[in-house]
Amino acid sequence: MQGSPRPYANPYLAGFGLGLVLLAAFVLMGRGLGASAAFSALAAVIVEWIAPAHAAANPFYSRYLGPGGGLEEWLVWEVAGVFVGGLVSGLLGNRVRPAVERGPRVGVAVRLVLAFLGGLFMGVGAKIAGGCTSGQALTGGALLNVGSWVTMMCRACSSVTPV
């Protein structure tokens, strides 16, 4: 697809749509949105493939492994849908370009390794904290969880650039 990128969606309409998706998740699934549980379920599936006895005996992994396995966890499919939806949106908006964003003194291989390690640390941190920031903001905020609101305010303050 050639040509200039299309404008982004109206953030107010996109936020309203996200709110409707969150409401639908509560009504249809009985729980809110988030990504960290999807990665825990996926990790449980991988451990079960490698060492089934260990996965069955481990309380952390076994809670994600039902009769259909960890891939029946709906959040796995939510995260897959977010990835596919983002890709389709980028393709339709003419914004997909194969590139690796990096600084002038960092090679592509180093950038990819550092990005992987950063993502790994973020995932471990999300698990230790009891959820990712998107789950905290969306689900916890919708449930009026005080800790989630504090997390959102701290996140908002940390992203403000001083003048």
Side-chain angles (χ1 to χ4, degrees):
M1 298 173 99
Q2 295 293 332
S4 62
R6 294 184 179 155
Y8 289 110
N10 181 316
Y12 299 107
L13 291 177
F16 181 75
L18 183 58
L20 291 177
V21 169
L22 179 61
L23 177 63
F26 276 119
V27 171
L28 298 174
M29 303 308 295
R31 59 194 274 199
L33 301 173
S36 56
F39 292 103
S40 296
L42 195 57
V45 168
I46 292 169
V47 170
E48 185 182 40
W49 285 340
I50 296 169
H54 174 70
N58 186 302
F60 176 80
Y61 296 128
S62 63
R63 76 179 195 190
Y64 291 102
L65 300 172
L71 294 180
E72 73 181 17
E73 174 73 35
W74 77 277
L75 290 174
V76 171
W77 300 106
E78 173 208 353
V79 170
V82 166
F83 176 78
V84 171
L87 179 62
V88 169
S89 174
L91 290 170
L92 291 175
N94 205 16
R95 296 184 185 284
V96 175
R97 308 271 186 277
V100 176
E101 299 289 333
R102 59 188 178 85
R105 292 178 285 164
V106 176
V108 172
V110 171
R111 172 66 174 117
L112 293 176
V113 168
L114 292 176
F116 176 79
L117 290 174
L120 183 68
F121 288 135
M122 292 284 290
V124 169
K127 203 61 197 169
I128 291 170
C132 57
T133 54
S134 61
Q136 285 283 355
L138 293 170
T139 303
L143 295 173
L144 302 178
N145 182 337
V146 173
S148 295
W149 280 90
V150 169
T151 298
M152 285 189 295
M153 294 306 128
C154 290
R155 179 69 180 124
C157 292
S158 70
S159 62
V160 174
T161 305
V163 180

